[in-house]
Amino acid sequence: MFNTEFNLGFGLPRTDSCTKCDELAIKVSSGEEKQELQQERNKYQEEAQTSYDSKLRQKVATTQRW
């Protein structure tokens, strides 16, 4: 019924972002203190990537032990 009557579909999002990333992106695009916000956004994303990489390395190391 959802697909035929309302033309709705269900699926996973292609990309995901956190609330803080979204807020910083909006503020940067609106021009409020653009330089500072861009630096804050870059720093935040670098920290997030570092954490993600660490998590991935731990997962691989755990998988290899088995």
Side-chain angles (χ1 to χ4, degrees):
M1 178 164 174
F2 284 105
N3 289 332
T4 58
E5 297 292 322
F6 300 105
N7 197 22
L8 296 176
F10 299 97
L12 297 174
R14 294 181 187 196
T15 60
D16 193 16
S17 61
C18 71
T19 305
K20 184 164 182 157
C21 289
D22 294 340
E23 288 174 2
L24 289 171
I26 291 169
K27 287 179 181 179
V28 167
S29 67
S30 69
E32 302 172 18
E33 303 168 359
K34 196 171 192 169
Q35 185 73 16
E36 289 179 23
L37 290 170
Q38 187 64 41
Q39 289 174 349
E40 181 181 350
R41 181 178 179 211
N42 290 342
K43 181 181 176 189
Y44 180 77
Q45 288 179 338
E46 286 174 12
E47 290 171 357
Q49 187 64 46
T50 301
S51 297
Y52 179 78
D53 292 343
S54 175
K55 181 180 173 184
L56 185 61
R57 282 192 303 275
Q58 289 174 358
K59 184 177 180 179
V60 168
T62 303
T63 305
Q64 290 178 348
R65 280 191 269 167
W66 296 97

